[in-house]
Amino acid sequence: MPLPTDERLIALSQELLQQFDAIFGLNPGFRPAHAKGTMLTGTFIPTAAAASLSKAPHIVRASTPVTVRFSNSTGVPLIPDNDPNANPRGFAVRFNLAEHVHTDIVSHSTDGFPTHTGQEFLEFLKALATSDPANLKGSPLEAFLGSHPKALAFVQAPKPAPSSFAREAYFGVTAMKFTNKDGVSRFGRYRIVPEAGVEHLDDAAAAAKSANYLFDEIAERIAKGPVKYRVLVQVADEGDVVDDATIHWPEDRKLLELGTISLIAPVADDAHEQKQIIFDPIPRVEGIEPSDDPLLELRAAIYLLSGRRRRAAPEK
């Protein structure tokens, strides 16, 4: 995927990467956020109704191979799975359409995002880097959250630890524009729901878990049989705001079922493949386009810049 030509966007991307490095330390070969992860392979099978929303290749084909990456938050490669900072969890999906042809979904387990723009997100990270979250009084972070109610709502939203990666729901926080074969376009946001049902742990139960409990559990689970998720799209109504990830749409908006992801095996040479793969928040496929959300171009640039840096790091 190409790097954007907007120099201000590239400069902002570089500043954000530097802030992640300042907060989490520099860990060559790992992502600056969601560093600890694991990848699995499987298949996506669309529903018959999915074609009414989009003409994208993976929506109209009988099935498409997928690669999925589960991850913990932060840029700390060895963060314990039961550390509260490991939430929200990440779930990235690559639909492998042909050799070197793909489209992705990037989602996480908290519905929403703390800021509307990349500049605001940079201010948020700078405030975080210069504050003690356990002692907010008079800190830059307290000042930022006090003047940014959407960021405060995101920070205060419950983020309980899941009992399993297979028992967590994930949200695509930015809207996409879906177009079907008749040229009808609608905006929507992804929701990925586990077939096994959502199950969270209370603080005491999470604290009692091992530092690698989620990664151990998903390896044991996948060895026993497929791990399945329903891929849904919450469809916006006319007049809903579609370019701001901090704004939630009402829960009565239609949920259209796109299909089912069935994961069947770990990726071979997992560490190497995690280092190589660069997920793309922008779909770049006919039938699914980005909305005008300003986070999309920025996130794509950051993913590409950090991915190139990660690939250039020596193999362990």
Side-chain angles (χ1 to χ4, degrees):
M1 62 188 175
L3 200 60
T5 54
D6 184 337
E7 290 183 10
R8 288 176 303 175
L9 187 72
I10 298 299
L12 180 57
S13 302
Q14 296 282 20
E15 276 197 274
L16 282 160
L17 282 172
Q18 288 167 12
Q19 279 305 309
F20 280 124
D21 293 344
I23 294 167
F24 301 124
L26 191 58
N27 297 288
F30 290 91
R31 286 160 172 77
H34 291 272
K36 184 180 181 181
T38 188
M39 297 211 310
L40 303 170
T41 61
T43 303
F44 172 76
I45 297 178
T47 65
S52 69
L53 186 69
S54 175
K55 61 183 177 182
H58 56 300
I59 302 301
V60 298
R61 292 179 185 171
S63 68
T64 299
V66 295
T67 308
V68 162
R69 184 175 187 265
F70 295 109
S71 60
N72 288 345
S73 282
T74 82
V76 180
L78 296 177
I79 187 169
D81 298 351
N82 57 352
D83 185 323
N85 292 317
N87 288 300
R89 314 293 164 164
F91 185 100
V93 188
R94 168 148 298 176
F95 299 88
N96 300 295
L97 302 172
E99 192 166 1
H100 305 304
V101 182
H102 53 78
T103 189
D104 302 339
I105 297 174
V106 179
S107 66
H108 67 198
S109 59
T110 299
D111 186 7
F113 199 75
T115 63
H116 172 42
T117 68
Q119 189 61 47
E120 285 178 325
F121 190 51
L122 179 61
E123 291 170 25
F124 176 56
L125 291 183
K126 283 182 174 178
L128 190 62
T130 54
S131 304
D132 175 6
N135 187 22
L136 282 182
K137 193 163 181 61
S139 70
L141 185 57
E142 183 190 48
F144 181 87
L145 296 176
S147 60
H148 294 78
K150 296 289 177 62
L152 180 63
F154 179 87
V155 168
Q156 292 180 336
K159 299 176 187 69
S163 64
S164 167
F165 282 126
R167 303 207 63 181
E168 181 63 283
Y170 305 90
F171 303 87
V173 298
T174 46
M176 301 295 172
K177 182 181 178 183
F178 298 87
T179 304
N180 66 18
K181 63 178 174 51
D182 300 318
V184 177
S185 295
R186 286 175 287 176
F187 286 91
R189 286 183 176 134
Y190 292 109
R191 291 187 179 186
I192 300 173
V193 180
E195 190 180 77
V198 173
E199 183 180 69
H200 291 128
L201 305 175
D202 62 29
D203 291 348
K209 291 285 188 180
S210 72
N212 213 44
Y213 83 94
L214 285 173
F215 291 84
D216 293 342
E217 195 277 343
I218 199 68
E220 292 166 11
R221 185 181 287 257
I222 204 90
K224 295 173 184 171
V227 173
K228 297 186 178 185
Y229 299 84
R230 296 162 61 216
V231 181
L232 311 171
V233 172
Q234 184 190 31
V235 182
D237 275 5
E238 200 72 37
D240 285 341
V241 175
V242 297
D243 64 353
D244 187 340
T246 70
I247 293 178
H248 291 80
W249 301 332
E251 276 303 307
D252 64 4
R253 296 297 183 259
K254 179 180 179 181
L255 283 174
L256 191 147
E257 188 150 355
L258 277 194
T260 300
I261 291 171
S262 298
L263 301 176
I264 57 170
V267 165
D269 201 1
D270 185 51
H272 173 76
E273 292 302 325
Q274 286 193 66
K275 188 179 168 188
Q276 290 299 311
I277 195 167
I278 302 173
F279 289 98
D280 188 355
I282 294 177
R284 306 184 204 276
V285 67
E286 189 179 17
I288 309 175
E289 301 168 70
S291 65
D292 290 331
D293 190 311
L295 290 175
L296 281 167
E297 286 283 357
L298 179 70
R299 290 175 72 197
I302 291 170
Y303 284 31
L304 187 56
L305 289 168
S306 65
R308 288 175 177 176
R309 184 174 82 172
R310 187 169 65 247
R311 288 177 174 180
E315 290 284 346
K316 297 281 184 181

